[in-house]
Amino acid sequence: MQGHSRFTNGQGRPSNFFDYVRAPEAVNDPSPGLMPKLAGDNPLTDKHPRNYLVLTDTQYFLLSQFSKGLCDMSPPQKTPTPQEQLDRGVLDNCVGGPFCPGIEVTWISRDFNFYSEPFRFKHKPLNGQPLTWDNNPHQGQGLEPGDASKYMALPWQADFNECSNQIIDHTSIWWWPAQRPYYVYYRDEQSGSVQQGYWTRPKQSNFVRDETMVYNWKNLGFILQQSGTPAFMEQDSLPFVRLDMDTPLDNPPQDKKQ
């Protein structure tokens, strides 16, 4: 471990970045400045609230070791197997939490009964019978096809539309700003100037009707890194369609999940 100093700030002094990392048990701590500054698994109800996203215990421990300089930054000596490369190739692009309900999978993935070993779902033995609609993954009997995703939004565009921001402790908190942008830089077609606006403009932070996102998710722009200023800007957006159907409902989404 010697020879690897802890992470330093711009002045060369040891960094106190770890003081700002939200501890795994601080899911409802409203203290300003704690990171990650993202909505958690359940900021919607008072039953088992989890207002803010936190690192897992393992992630928090590893980051604490790094903050103390207890890490080896030399290149890994072991060549990953093709199976390990496949796992990493898939997982590196996953969003993970928060799970409300989530993007790839939802909150049930936190249950150890879900797995036979790390990264491997426990399969329920086949018995020649049809699938059961009420199979409970928490019982540890294994998963049937569809169990890992059956608590997700259907269609997925519904949750994707509403997951722009959430009001938590009187503050607007984002859900997945990298995968589901909220406010973006873009180049105005008429003036050519760089402006800021909602990703779903001319609407605000989301469409009024989830069905409108079903038609338009494929027309939303990509946020790409560029050499100029700003560093990240929207590219390749297409005109939205069926905006005539985006009329207010009796209880429209108010910039948050319902």
Side-chain angles (χ1 to χ4, degrees):
M1 298 295 181
Q2 295 181 355
H4 295 291
S5 60
R6 70 170 63 181
F7 192 74
T8 57
N9 61 20
Q11 290 74 41
R13 298 191 301 271
S15 172
N16 64 339
F17 79 94
F18 193 67
D19 296 339
Y20 297 93
V21 178
R22 188 181 296 276
E25 66 273 11
V27 291
N28 297 310
D29 186 349
S31 300
L34 292 180
M35 301 296 290
K37 195 74 170 180
L38 297 173
D41 284 3
N42 180 23
L44 307 181
T45 72
D46 294 330
K47 185 177 181 180
H48 307 301
R50 294 178 64 91
N51 286 339
Y52 299 97
L53 180 66
V54 296
L55 303 182
T56 66
D57 291 340
T58 301
Q59 291 171 328
Y60 190 78
F61 169 76
L62 293 175
L63 202 56
S64 72
Q65 297 298 93
F66 175 74
S67 73
K68 301 171 185 176
L70 301 177
C71 56
D72 184 350
M73 292 181 282
S74 58
Q77 301 300 313
K78 178 185 174 183
T79 301
T81 65
Q83 293 82 359
E84 291 171 336
Q85 290 177 323
L86 285 172
D87 282 345
R88 180 172 294 277
V90 172
L91 294 175
D92 276 353
N93 290 295
C94 284
V95 177
F99 299 127
C100 187
I103 288 186
E104 297 90 11
V105 71
T106 190
W107 52 270
I108 55 176
S109 64
R110 295 191 187 277
D111 191 337
F112 291 151
N113 286 321
F114 222 57
Y115 307 96
S116 60
E117 59 180 295
F119 310 114
R120 296 291 180 265
F121 291 157
K122 181 186 294 184
H123 293 264
K124 187 175 182 179
L126 298 176
N127 58 10
Q129 299 299 314
L131 300 181
T132 55
W133 67 270
D134 58 348
N135 184 50
N136 186 347
H138 298 293
Q139 294 176 347
Q141 302 301 313
L143 277 67
E144 296 180 336
D147 281 344
S149 58
K150 67 183 181 184
Y151 297 111
M152 301 293 290
L154 184 65
W156 65 265
Q157 291 94 340
D159 192 56
F160 193 71
N161 179 48
E162 297 179 29
C163 285
S164 53
N165 70 316
Q166 185 73 33
I167 303 301
I168 305 173
D169 295 320
H170 310 289
T171 303
S172 181
I173 304 295
W174 290 332
W175 287 98
W176 304 292
Q179 287 74 21
R180 201 291 187 198
Y182 177 77
Y183 215 61
V184 300
Y185 286 104
Y186 68 97
R187 189 172 299 281
D188 184 74
E189 293 183 358
Q190 295 183 350
S191 66
S193 61
V194 175
Q195 300 184 16
Q196 280 187 289
Y198 290 111
W199 194 42
T200 48
R201 62 187 186 280
K203 300 295 180 178
Q204 296 192 8
S205 58
N206 49 264
F207 296 115
V208 174
R209 300 179 67 98
D210 293 333
E211 294 93 327
T212 312
M213 181 63 84
V214 173
Y215 286 101
N216 287 291
W217 67 270
K218 62 185 182 303
N219 298 329
L220 293 162
F222 293 90
I223 313 305
L224 301 179
Q225 187 173 11
Q226 59 175 12
S227 57
T229 302
F232 294 89
M233 194 158 73
E234 181 190 82
Q235 306 283 345
D236 298 329
S237 62
L238 298 175
F240 293 148
V241 300
R242 300 295 298 272
L243 290 183
D244 58 308
M245 67 178 291
D246 201 51
T247 55
L249 304 172
D250 292 337
N251 295 291
Q254 300 294 323
D255 282 355
K256 69 175 188 177
K257 290 172 177 282
Q258 299 298 302

